[in-house]
Amino acid sequence: MTTKNVPKSFQKMIDRVAEVFPEHEKLQEMFQQCFLNTYATTLTETKEGLPFVITGDIPAMWLRDSTSQIRPYLMVAEDDPEMAAVIAGLVKQQMRFVQLDPYANAFNQEANGKGFQADKTEMSPHVWERKYEIDSLCYPIQLGYLLWQSTGSLAHFDTDFRHGVAAILDVWKTEQRHETESPYSFEREDVRQSDTLNRDGKGTEVTYTGMTWSGFRPSDDACLYGYLVPSNMFAVVALGYLEEINAVCWNDANLATEIATLKTEMEQGIQDFAVQEHPYYGEMYAYEVDGTGRKNFMDDANVPSLLAAPYLGFGDFTDPKYLATRQFILSRENPFYVEGSQLMGIGSPHTPDHYVWPIALSVQGMTATNLSEKLAILEMLTTTDGGTGFMHEGVNASNHNEYTREWFAWSNAMFSEFVLSLCGIYVKGSPLANNTK
């Protein structure tokens, strides 16, 4: 890893944490390390001079991870034109990748043929991995919108952004009818089931709901059923952002109708098929459905998740259906909720049993409505870092010295945003900021 001098705009955030938590030296040290991690170690450039953000220990750029890693710097960009320009450049790079292949989730810095080129799908040398995930297309829209809210600038809503939006809308509309209209399939040989799609790469059979289909979860694991509810929730929020962007930048009546129609269909699909009656928790959201009645009650640690719904902007933090879902998620009824001697929280089938994800704990903290829960989570996160001062992917709930991914910038960024929220600092235009009004 390399280090860089700390810009004054970053130091302002570091100083604020020290001001709010003057006696918590470990938190101060951990926040500084985690907050600077993306800036100091994962931010590079393409040959064209645009930002390229690796995930950490993998030399590829995920649309999801790169957005989440850079998101805390939106608070810096409010007063730092250089960081604002970096984020605007990242939005441009993301939308160029979307135009290159809207079904891909991760890309190479150049067309070097690295990654999973042997996968049975339409790979290209610029694509690292082509697992289709709805959220990969939501995140660039979210980043562009929040950059506008943070800085007031509209310059990044350029031709690349507009063409990227067109590609995204086309895919989401196509995947509403995955069985009859989709060109996408994916298979990877000699791997665990979660790394490939069944039925000759088409995935478990679905029927029309109004929602849009996803092959994979934000964990990069295959969906059990093709309508991934939290990702559809995120897509609805992203479509709302596009409505605002179009009204201010493009004023395209046909585009407005296209966005509004798709948003309405997906919202209705969530209400008609994702809202289910649980025997213990009542009316709540399922994690995945297929449109025929099959449903999957669970939640995963990665974002978007059901737990993260109001953090992303779908529904209110105190909505009864969300609260019932949250109760389920944070109980043993959720097959991926873990209770250990050191940690309690949500894990993932992507990592070993009995492992809790710090990302999920940060989300739990940011969606909690009482301070005691927030502070209890902060205590867990600051005492279970394995002595590294960083967040990890998954941590053994009974031995925090056992963890996956020593270098995981996404998790460090989520922790940073959680800590800043405890200091009264939020991304402008985000649901967390709006919830404080």
Side-chain angles (χ1 to χ4, degrees), residues 117-409:
Q117 296 297 320
D119 288 345
K120 297 169 67 176
T121 188
E122 296 181 14
M123 292 294 291
S124 76
H126 230 132
V127 170
W128 171 276
E129 187 174 56
R130 197 171 186 257
K131 288 180 172 178
Y132 174 59
E133 303 157 352
I134 297 169
D135 68 283
S136 292
L137 301 178
C138 297
Y139 274 107
I141 298 171
Q142 181 201 59
L143 185 60
Y145 176 83
L146 293 177
L147 179 61
W148 167 32
Q149 298 300 303
S150 295
T151 66
S153 175
L154 298 169
H156 55 286
F157 297 132
D158 57 10
T159 301
D160 279 318
F161 196 93
R162 181 76 180 266
H163 288 167
V165 167
I168 290 168
L169 295 177
D170 284 347
V171 167
W172 283 351
K173 288 188 295 183
T174 295
E175 294 303 333
Q176 286 181 297
R177 294 169 174 83
H178 176 71
E179 296 296 328
T180 58
E181 296 185 11
S182 176
Y184 177 81
S185 64
F186 180 97
E187 291 179 276
R188 182 175 294 171
E189 296 180 334
D190 302 321
V191 292
R192 60 182 184 172
Q193 181 59 44
S194 61
D195 267 333
T196 190
L197 296 181
N198 60 14
R199 209 164 54 101
D200 297 321
K202 294 294 285 185
T204 305
E205 189 172 0
V206 295
T207 190
Y208 178 83
T209 64
M211 287 185 281
T212 191
W213 177 90
S214 191
F216 293 86
R217 300 167 179 169
S219 61
D220 300 332
D221 289 346
C223 293
L224 177 61
Y225 304 127
Y227 295 120
L228 181 55
V229 176
S231 290
N232 272 270
M233 291 173 167
F234 193 13
V236 167
V237 174
L239 289 167
Y241 290 160
L242 289 179
E243 286 182 313
E244 292 187 48
I245 293 166
N246 179 50
V248 172
C249 294
W250 308 319
N251 196 26
D252 184 324
N254 291 331
L255 180 61
T257 299
E258 182 182 11
I259 294 169
T261 300
L262 181 58
K263 180 169 176 274
T264 297
E265 290 171 352
M266 291 173 66
E267 280 184 303
Q268 194 61 51
I270 291 170
Q271 297 306 318
D272 290 346
F273 293 91
V275 177
Q276 299 282 339
E277 189 73 21
H278 190 276
Y280 301 134
Y281 296 97
E283 194 174 61
M284 58 169 281
Y285 294 106
Y287 183 72
E288 293 166 337
V289 296
D290 69 351
T292 71
R294 291 184 291 183
K295 51 189 176 289
N296 184 11
F297 283 123
M298 60 166 277
D299 202 23
D300 195 15
N302 297 268
V303 181
S305 60
L306 292 174
L307 184 65
Y311 164 81
L312 294 170
F314 187 89
D316 188 78
F317 288 83
T318 57
D319 174 73
K321 287 196 290 291
Y322 170 72
L323 292 178
T325 307
R326 183 186 176 89
Q327 275 191 296
F328 162 82
I329 291 166
L330 300 175
S331 78
R332 294 180 181 178
E333 294 296 319
N334 174 12
F336 300 105
Y337 182 75
V338 176
E339 293 180 334
S341 59
Q342 297 176 4
L343 281 165
M344 295 185 297
I346 301 168
S348 172
H350 194 70
T351 47
D353 291 341
H354 203 62
Y355 274 51
V356 170
W357 281 47
I359 281 177
L361 285 172
S362 294
V363 170
Q364 183 183 345
M366 287 188 283
T367 55
T369 55
N370 65 80
L371 185 59
S372 60
E373 182 179 354
K374 292 176 181 289
L375 293 178
I377 291 167
L378 183 67
E379 179 68 14
M380 276 196 286
L381 288 171
T382 53
T383 56
T384 58
D385 63 315
T388 67
F390 288 108
M391 297 293 102
H392 306 290
E393 181 186 50
V395 181
N396 187 325
S398 297
N399 182 0
H400 69 98
N401 292 308
E402 296 179 357
Y403 49 79
T404 60
R405 299 190 71 173
E406 183 175 356
W407 185 13
F408 194 35

